[in-house]
Amino acid sequence: MKNEGIEGTERFLSPDRGRGLRAVRHFAVGELVFACPSYSYVLTVNERGAHCENCFTRREDLFKCGKCKQAYYCNVDCQRGDWPMHKLECVAMCAYGENWCPSETVRLVARLIMKQRVTTERTPSERLLLLKEFESHLDKMDSEKEEMNQTDIAALHHFYSKHISDLPDEQALTELFAQMLWFSFLPSSVALMNHSCSPNVIVTYKGTVAEVRAVQEINPGDEIFNSYIDLLYPTEDRRERLLDSYFFTCQCTECTSKSKDKEKMEIRKLNSPPEPEEIRSMVHYAKNVIEEFRRAKHYKNILFLCELLEMCELSLEKMGAIFADTNVYMLHMMYQAMGVCLYMQDWDGAMSYGEKIIHPYSVHYPAYSLNVASMYLKLGRLYLGLEKKTQGVKALKKALAIMEVAHGKDHHYVAEVKREIEEQK
């Protein structure tokens, strides 16, 4: 099947990967490969009030829906644009009041159901892949994911059954939630791209429109690869994550060559090198403490934050007996510690961690990684706040160089950073 309306690319059968997307012309680094509107979307509760529900624009002078008082918009046009979808939630929000608490996944599925009922033709977001073509992988779901699915279905019935007539049957809902579990990529055309741990494109968003840009030179006939996961970690960890979430064992060039694994798992230089079993034991400890921190960090009271910071510091001290500071498990906990410091407004502490993280990030992540850009942004703003103007501007310029490729030079995020730099002149 050839692509439908996305010039320069085509859908094809990728060897050993199934459906895929490839280039039919050359794309330079930073060039827009394609842009595609989202099929459906929801603004997270945490962002509500700061972003428009319709276009996702961030601004301070939003006005709220007169009925539910919870949805915010730029203007009347945005409110009208969102009303076909918001009216579904608006009535339910008014009915449930403070007890209105469906997850983003449940809210998204409710909107998908309503969108499908009023949509009779292929939408712009489905130019390459129809939503109904998404894989559900129901046969591969473990008991934990099945339980998550059933919880979401129960929540959908609880919050929406009175407001959506004739909800799909149990089997259809099970499949729809499973599709959302594996692919939260909406627009669906973005989901057609297969994964690589050395991707040649990056997906960013301008409001509710996905923009896919080249981060490597792409030649005619080359498959277009996105990344589904955080690429900081070594091959074994990445493959484990991909197998658990997407049910395939990655055979990309990065995974088969393992070219970055030695640097990512750097061991501290000691007079007496650690035994292999000591290293394996420390890796096991690192994975456990990372999971423990993940479960604990949603608590935000100041006393518990101090405990979280102590957890980071103690784990870094223990891992540092074997791992070098550039080891990805050390970097993971440094990043968490930096986040806690930022939340506690310990700017010097956050800066100290950021300075340790930034260079290894630049080595471990692929070129034009937004993880690296984000770290430069945080460091730049910390420097400026601490009156370190030269260092701050330098860091912001490094972030800008990445963002101009990943986001495009006309993106409002790029304009914001340029303004910050200009203000220092």
Side-chain angles (χ1 to χ4, degrees):
M1 171 184 170
K2 290 281 183 179
N3 68 301
E4 302 201 8
I6 299 184
E7 185 180 352
T9 67
E10 67 179 0
R11 176 172 165 169
F12 80 117
L13 191 62
S14 177
D16 303 319
R17 295 187 182 92
R19 297 175 303 224
L21 186 67
R22 67 183 170 195
V24 296
R25 70 169 180 84
H26 174 263
F27 290 97
V29 171
E31 188 174 354
L32 183 69
V33 179
F34 68 88
C36 200
S38 296
Y39 182 88
S40 190
Y41 49 86
V42 292
L43 187 66
T44 64
V45 173
N46 291 338
E47 300 295 341
R48 181 163 279 166
H51 295 257
C52 174
E53 296 272 347
N54 183 58
C55 68
F56 284 17
T57 297
R58 183 176 61 198
R59 52 192 292 176
E60 295 180 358
D61 57 343
L62 299 170
F63 72 91
K64 65 177 68 173
C65 171
K67 292 184 178 180
C68 68
K69 313 292 186 187
Q70 294 188 53
Y72 290 76
Y73 299 98
C74 296
N75 48 46
V76 173
D77 290 337
C78 275
Q79 186 173 19
R80 286 174 179 161
D82 191 47
W83 182 244
M85 292 293 108
H86 176 60
K87 65 181 178 182
L88 165 72
E89 291 190 335
C90 192
V91 177
M93 284 175 175
C94 292
Y96 284 95
E98 293 181 357
N99 295 319
W100 166 259
C101 57
S103 68
E104 270 80 34
T105 302
V106 172
R107 293 173 59 212
L108 183 60
V109 167
R111 287 189 170 214
L112 286 173
I113 292 169
M114 295 302 294
K115 181 76 176 273
Q116 288 173 329
R117 289 184 178 179
V118 299
T119 304
T120 56
E121 298 179 352
R122 182 188 290 261
T123 66
S125 70
E126 298 176 290
R127 285 183 288 176
L128 294 171
L129 184 70
L130 291 168
L131 189 67
K132 65 184 180 183
E133 294 182 273
F134 276 28
E135 296 283 354
S136 64
H137 296 292
L138 285 173
D139 58 323
K140 298 172 183 175
M141 289 177 68
D142 57 26
S143 57
E144 182 180 354
K145 291 186 175 70
E146 286 179 354
E147 186 176 337
M148 286 172 57
N149 233 13
Q150 291 306 309
T151 300
D152 283 338
I153 291 171
L156 181 72
H157 279 285
H158 177 73
F159 289 108
Y160 290 96
S161 60
K162 294 179 181 178
H163 311 289
I164 301 179
S165 59
D166 301 321
L167 281 170
D169 62 30
E170 195 79 4
Q171 179 59 33
L173 287 176
T174 299
E175 186 163 340
L176 187 54
F177 273 105
Q179 288 171 326
M180 294 304 99
L181 189 61
W182 315 134
F183 284 105
S184 57
F185 298 124
L186 298 171
S188 56
S189 293
V190 175
L192 182 62
M193 293 184 289
N194 286 311
H195 166 85
S196 171
C197 298
S198 181
N200 52 15
V201 299
I202 190 167
V203 181
T204 59
Y205 282 83
K206 187 180 287 183
T208 60
V209 175
E211 296 189 331
V212 179
R213 282 189 164 76
V215 292
Q216 296 180 29
E217 293 283 331
I218 301 175
N219 294 309
D222 287 352
E223 182 162 2
I224 297 172
F225 290 109
N226 183 28
S227 172
Y228 296 174
I229 59 170
D230 187 338
L231 298 174
L232 178 65
Y233 303 94
T235 302
E236 181 183 336
D237 291 22
R238 297 194 311 272
R239 281 182 160 175
E240 185 179 303
R241 169 77 188 281
L242 289 164
L243 188 61
D244 179 64
S245 297
Y246 299 99
F247 306 108
F248 69 89
T249 299
C250 188
Q251 298 293 341
C252 73
T253 54
E254 189 60 44
C255 283
T256 52
S257 69
K258 301 183 179 181
S259 62
K260 291 187 174 183
D261 279 9
K262 185 176 180 181
E263 284 181 316
K264 290 184 175 186
M265 294 300 297
E266 188 74 30
I267 303 302
R268 190 171 295 282
K269 291 178 173 58
L270 301 168
N271 292 331
S272 177
E275 297 294 326
E277 181 53 39
E278 290 181 280
I279 296 173
R280 283 193 293 270
S281 177
M282 192 58 73
V283 169
H284 180 72
Y285 166 79
K287 290 181 177 180
N288 283 341
V289 78
I290 286 170
E291 177 59 22
E292 182 183 352
F293 188 93
R294 185 191 67 80
R295 290 196 302 266
K297 70 178 182 180
H298 65 276
Y299 297 105
K300 293 291 176 69
N301 68 73
I302 191 68
L303 181 63
F304 196 74
L305 285 170
C306 292
E307 292 178 6
L308 282 180
L309 187 58
E310 185 179 11
M311 182 193 300
C312 293
E313 291 168 346
L314 290 173
S315 65
L316 286 167
E317 183 180 353
K318 181 170 181 176
M319 290 189 293
I322 290 180
F323 295 156
D325 285 353
T326 57
N327 184 292
V328 295
Y329 297 124
M330 294 286 284
L331 295 173
H332 181 104
M333 293 312 296
M334 288 180 195
Y335 180 81
Q336 301 303 331
M338 182 182 182
V340 176
C341 286
L342 287 171
Y343 198 86
M344 297 172 66
Q345 299 185 12
D346 175 6
W347 311 128
D348 288 299
M351 181 186 69
S352 177
Y353 281 116
E355 288 175 335
K356 293 176 183 176
I357 293 169
I358 189 59
H359 178 68
Y361 261 32
S362 302
V363 173
H364 296 332
Y365 276 111
Y368 308 110
S369 165
L370 289 179
N371 298 79
V372 179
S374 175
M375 185 54 61
Y376 273 124
L377 269 181
K378 289 175 182 175
L379 262 178
R381 288 164 178 166
L382 279 167
Y383 284 139
L384 293 178
L386 294 169
E387 299 183 354
K388 298 175 182 289
K389 179 177 175 179
T390 302
Q391 292 163 279
V393 170
K394 184 178 179 181
L396 290 181
K397 285 183 176 179
K398 286 184 175 291
L400 183 63
I402 296 170
M403 293 170 68
E404 286 185 329
V405 171
H407 287 285
K409 294 183 179 181
D410 63 342
H411 199 283
H412 60 273
Y413 288 166
V414 170
E416 283 180 19
V417 178
K418 284 183 175 178
R419 277 197 301 272
E420 290 181 67
I421 294 170
E422 284 296 316
E423 287 170 0
Q424 300 306 313
K425 291 183 178 178

